[in-house]
Amino acid sequence: MKADVLLGLQWGDEGKGKIVDVLTPKYGVIARFQGGPNAGHTLIFDGQKHVLHTIPSGIFRKNILNVVGNGVVVDPIIFQKEIEGLLKSGVEPFTSLVISRKAHLITPTHGHLDAASEQAKGKAKIGSTLKGIGPAYMDKTGRNGLRIGDIENPNFKDMYNALREKHIHMLEQYPEYEYDLSEFESKWLSSIEFLKKFKFIDSEHLLSKSLSDGHGILAEGAQGTMLDIDFGTYPFVTSSNTITAGACTGLGLPPNKIGEVFGIFKAYCTRVGSGPFPTELLEKTGDKLRAAGAEFGATTGRPRRCGWLDLPQLKYAVMINGVTQLCMMKADVLGEFDEIKVCTHYVYKGDKIDYLPYGIEPNEVQPVYKTFDCWPGDLTGLREVENIPSSLLDYVKMIEKETGVPISILSVGPDREQTLILNDDLK
Ligand code: GDP
Ligand code: IMO
Ligand code: MG
C-alpha cells in the first residue's frame, strides 16, 4: 500500500479542502504535512460551510483518522478555536484527530516577529497572513523551536520562557513595532492545556504501520507549488516545502511509498499577497473573475488577485510534483465569459519559451495568450459526464495534452456534490 498526495499547483486556494473531503471515503488516514494556520481550506456540504486551518479535511467523515504531521506548525489558540467550531457542528474530534510530537508550536511572539518584519519591509512586504509561520519555521531550522512533544516535558514552561526571552530581544530590532504580549500569552498557555485533550503521537510509526496494515493514506497539502520555499516565487513564498517532497519530510514517508499525486488547479489563476503573477488581470476582467469566483481569502478575507490560466507555470508544477492525476476546479466561474485566454508561452529575453525561467517579474516575462471559446451558462447543476459542454471538454483535452496528465476530477461548484469524477477508479 502506498500513500497518495493531494496538493495545490498554483498559488494556493485551488480547492484542496473540497477535494480532500470528496476523496476521504477512499482512505483510512488523512494527514496534513506542512503549513499551519496560514491555510484556509473550505468544505461545503449539507448547506453548511466549514473552513479548516490546521485540521485535516477528513475530519467530517466517519471512521477516518486525521493526522497533523511533523511538518506542520501549530498555533494552539487557533487550533482550539477550530476544535470549538467543530464541536458546535456536532463533530467529535478527540479520537479522530492526533498530532505528531515532532510538529512545531507557533508562539505569540512568532506572530509579533512576523508582523514586525512585514512592517519593516514596507512596500517590499511578503503579504504574509501574519500567523507567525515564517518565524516558527525559522526557529525550527535554526534549532530553537518548541515542539508538541515538549508539552509533555515537566520543564515546558521554562523552555517556553527561554524562547520568549530570545524573541523579545529580537523584537528590540524593530523599535517602531509596538506590541502587547499579555493578552495572547495567557490565552496561549490555556490553549496548550486544551491541546492535551488530544493524543500526541510518533506519527511516522503510525503512518508506516497504516500502510503495512493496508489502510490508505491521503497526504493533504497546504498553500501551493508557487509558494514553495525552494521552487516558488522566492522571496514571495511561504516557509515550507509545499510540493510532493514535502509530504515525505512532513510525514516521514519514504519516497518509494508515494503512490498517486493529485494536483489541483483552478481553470484560471489566483494569488493572495505580494509577488510576481505573469497572467494577472489588473483591469475589469480581473474584477469580473474575482466577483464571479468569490475570490476572497478564506483565512484573511483579502481580495485575491486574478488572472488567466498559465500553462508554463502549470507544467512546471506538474514536473516538480510528479503529478499523476489532475483536478480542475471552478470551471463554472468561467461560464460568465464568452471567450477566455490561456497563457501558452512567455516572451523571455526576446525569445518565445514554454517553461518557467528563474525570474517571472513583469519586466522579465510577458505572457503570450491563446483565446478559447467558453461554455457560457450555469454549470453548477452539471452532474453527468455525458453532459459536459463540448467547449469545456476541448479545454480539458487541451490541458491534458499540454501537461501529459489526465484530468480525473472536474469541479463545477463549491459543494461536495458539485463534482464530476472522470476517472472511474475514483468512483
Ligand atoms: P484551498 O485552500 O485550496 O482548500 O481552497 P480555499 O478553500 O481557500 O478556496 C477555494 C474556494 O473556492 C472556496 O471558497 C471554495 O468553497 C470554492 N470552490 C471550490 N471549488 C469550487 C468550484 O468548483 N466552483 C466554485 N465556484 N467554487 C469552488
Ligand atoms: P491554502 O492552504 C493562499 C501566502 C500569503 C503570502 C505568502 C506567505 O489555503 O491554499 P505566510 O503566512 O505563509 O508567511 O504567507 O503565502 N499564503 C497563501 N495563499 N493560500 C494559502 O493557503 C496561503 N498560505 C500562505 O498570502 O503571500
Ligand atoms: Mg485556502
Side-chain angles (χ1 to χ4, degrees):
M1 186 58 102
K2 294 194 175 188
D4 295 342
V5 181
L6 181 148
L7 41 70
L9 298 181
Q10 295 162 324
W11 280 274
D13 302 331
E14 296 89 349
K16 299 174 289 293
K18 167 178 168 165
I19 299 302
V20 171
D21 170 62
V22 166
L23 293 177
T24 293
K26 296 187 66 62
Y27 296 90
V29 180
I30 306 296
R32 271 282 301 272
F33 60 89
Q34 45 69 233
N38 48 350
H41 295 182
T42 313
L43 286 72
I44 300 181
F45 54 88
D46 300 338
Q48 291 268 337
K49 173 174 163 172
H50 307 271
V51 180
L52 297 168
H53 300 288
T54 323
I55 296 170
S57 300
I59 197 73
F60 295 98
R61 304 279 198 174
K62 295 245 180 306
N63 303 321
I64 301 288
L65 185 66
N66 291 270
V67 177
V68 174
N70 57 280
V72 175
V73 285
V74 179
D75 180 330
I77 300 180
I78 296 175
F79 181 86
Q80 180 172 354
K81 236 196 236 163
E82 275 188 81
I83 295 295
E84 286 165 355
L86 287 176
L87 290 168
K88 270 193 209 132
S89 323
V91 176
E92 201 284 285
F94 296 106
T95 49
S96 57
L97 177 62
V98 292
I99 311 174
S100 166
R101 287 197 175 90
K102 295 192 174 81
H104 278 244
L105 284 164
I106 302 178
T107 66
T109 36
H110 282 140
H112 287 302
L113 283 165
D114 209 358
S117 159
E118 283 286 81
Q119 190 188 73
K121 282 189 167 140
K123 274 194 176 156
K125 71 176 183 183
I126 308 294
S128 158
T129 60
L130 303 180
K131 304 292 178 199
I133 303 294
Y137 279 115
M138 277 165 68
D139 272 339
K140 174 178 176 174
T141 51
R143 295 156 298 174
N144 293 311
L146 271 184
R147 301 192 289 179
I148 290 286
D150 293 328
I151 298 173
E152 296 169 322
N153 187 320
N155 296 327
F156 177 69
K157 195 75 196 292
D158 295 337
M159 295 166 86
Y160 167 72
N161 281 331
L163 190 60
R164 173 190 194 273
E165 285 311 301
K166 197 175 283 189
H167 290 164
I168 287 172
H169 284 304
M170 289 165 76
L171 282 161
E172 284 166 8
Q173 290 171 37
Y174 303 100
E176 279 169 19
Y177 180 75
E178 289 175 15
Y179 67 99
D180 173 14
L181 209 48
S182 54
E183 182 196 347
F184 278 124
E185 193 165 46
S186 55
K187 179 87 189 88
W188 190 84
L189 289 168
S190 73
S191 294
I192 288 284
E193 290 306 310
F194 180 83
L195 263 184
K196 292 180 183 167
K197 292 179 192 250
F198 290 85
K199 216 170 166 188
F200 303 157
I201 61 156
D202 300 324
S203 52
E204 60 277 32
H205 293 294
L206 177 134
L207 295 172
S208 174
K209 187 162 183 324
S210 297
L211 291 182
S212 21
D213 290 351
H215 301 302
I217 297 172
L218 181 63
E220 173 179 3
Q223 290 80 56
T225 303
M226 299 314 288
L227 292 172
D228 180 86
I229 184 72
D230 282 279
F231 298 102
T233 48
Y234 193 88
F236 301 101
V237 293
T238 191
S239 298
S240 63
N241 280 117
T242 60
I243 58 173
T244 304
C248 296
T249 57
L251 292 172
L253 291 169
N256 64 353
K257 292 284 181 192
I258 300 294
E260 295 296 318
V261 178
F262 296 100
I264 308 225
F265 69 101
K266 286 179 186 168
Y268 49 96
C269 271
T270 65
R271 166 164 212 170
V272 60
S274 329
F277 179 3
T279 61
E280 181 171 16
L281 293 160
L282 294 164
E283 308 293 339
K284 273 193 204 134
T285 319
D287 296 340
K288 190 171 164 182
L289 258 179
R290 184 175 310 106
E295 296 294 358
F296 295 89
T299 296
T300 59
R302 290 178 293 176
R304 295 180 185 138
R305 300 156 62 192
C306 296
W308 298 123
L309 186 70
D310 183 338
L311 287 176
Q313 181 278 309
L314 188 65
K315 287 192 276 191
Y316 181 76
V318 165
M319 172 184 86
I320 290 290
N321 291 300
V323 173
T324 60
Q325 304 191 45
L326 289 165
C327 311
M328 186 167 89
M329 312 301 289
K330 297 196 133 178
D332 55 302
V333 171
L334 295 180
E336 303 262 331
F337 295 82
D338 292 330
E339 53 177 39
I340 51 176
K341 289 186 180 175
V342 171
C343 167
T344 56
H345 295 79
Y346 299 136
V347 172
Y348 173 70
K349 294 184 176 168
D351 290 330
K352 202 170 155 191
I353 60 166
D354 65 355
Y355 62 89
L356 202 76
Y358 177 71
I360 56 166
E361 291 285 356
N363 63 340
E364 294 170 300
V365 293
Q366 292 81 48
V368 177
Y369 291 107
K370 195 170 166 189
T371 302
F372 288 82
D373 284 339
C374 202
W375 38 93
D378 184 3
L379 272 194
T380 56
L382 184 67
R383 296 292 178 275
E384 307 297 331
V385 174
E386 307 79 72
N387 297 337
I388 298 176
S390 60
S391 47
L392 175 53
L393 266 187
D394 289 345
Y395 196 71
V396 165
K397 282 185 195 138
M398 177 274 293
I399 293 167
E400 290 182 331
K401 183 159 175 268
E402 288 285 337
T403 57
V405 180
I407 295 187
S408 294
I409 294 181
L410 189 59
S411 176
V412 293
D415 194 278
R416 189 189 264 176
E417 303 296 325
Q418 291 170 312
T419 314
L420 289 108
I421 309 285
L422 309 183
N423 173 358
D424 287 342
D425 291 344
L426 297 178
K427 282 184 182 157

